[in-house]
Amino acid sequence: MGLAMEHGGSYARAGGSSRGCWYYLRYFFLFVSLIQFLIILGLVLFMVYGNVHVSTESNLQATERRAEGLYSQLLGLTASQSNLTKELNFTTRAKDAIMQMWLNARRDLDRINASFRQCQGDRSQPMMPVSRPMGPVPNPQPIDPASLEEFKRKILESQRPPAGIPVAPSSG
């Protein structure tokens, strides 16, 4: 009643194997090497990607510093834009005022040129001589000394200060 068994099959006897100690040591060293490789790989990965908290914190601080710098730059540019807008408005008003003055000067110049052209036109026309009597010039009215004295008195009275204002004595 025995079953036929193959030599080295799955149901072989323990004492009858042809495998030696080196056969098992070879697998032992293979697994030890595999474990060492996995440990080294884990350490390398930990060194590269490990300590995430410190790098994340430094990246966060760098981002905060950059955001603060950009915000201060934004404030500076906003103030600069406000100043430039005010200066532009001032310059625009000055330009408008200068343009208005230029237009007024242009109108005045056109009027002066028109008057000048009219004068030039009047000059080119022959002038009529003024007729004078051919005789001697009549004598002027004689001046009455009494009316001359009256005239002097009126001029002196108009030069006097009013009665309420004191007159400073002349030093001379």
Side-chain angles (χ1 to χ4, degrees), residues 23-99:
Y23 176 78
Y24 295 108
L25 281 176
R26 187 173 54 180
Y27 285 107
F28 174 75
F29 287 129
L30 175 72
F31 286 114
V32 167
S33 298
L34 185 62
I35 290 171
Q36 284 178 344
F37 174 74
L38 291 175
I39 290 172
I40 291 171
L41 181 66
L43 289 173
V44 168
L45 290 175
F46 180 74
M47 285 173 50
V48 172
Y49 297 109
N51 209 358
V52 175
H53 179 67
V54 171
S55 64
T56 303
E57 187 69 28
S58 66
N59 286 341
L60 180 63
Q61 289 174 354
T63 304
E64 286 176 351
R65 284 191 302 269
R66 186 160 187 257
E68 288 174 8
L70 290 174
Y71 183 71
S72 65
Q73 186 179 7
L74 175 70
L75 292 178
L77 289 174
T78 303
S80 176
Q81 179 190 16
S82 174
N83 289 340
L84 288 174
T85 302
K86 288 177 184 176
E87 187 175 337
L88 177 65
N89 290 339
F90 177 74
T91 306
T92 304
R93 284 192 302 268
K95 182 198 76 136
D96 291 342
I98 290 172
M99 288 301 292

Side-chain angles (χ1 to χ4, degrees), residues 108-126:
D108 291 344
L109 181 64
D110 289 341
R111 269 185 292 173
I112 292 169
N113 283 338
S115 297
F116 179 72
R117 279 188 229 109
Q118 184 179 4
C119 287
Q120 288 293 330
D122 291 346
R123 233 184 203 186
S124 64
Q125 295 175 358

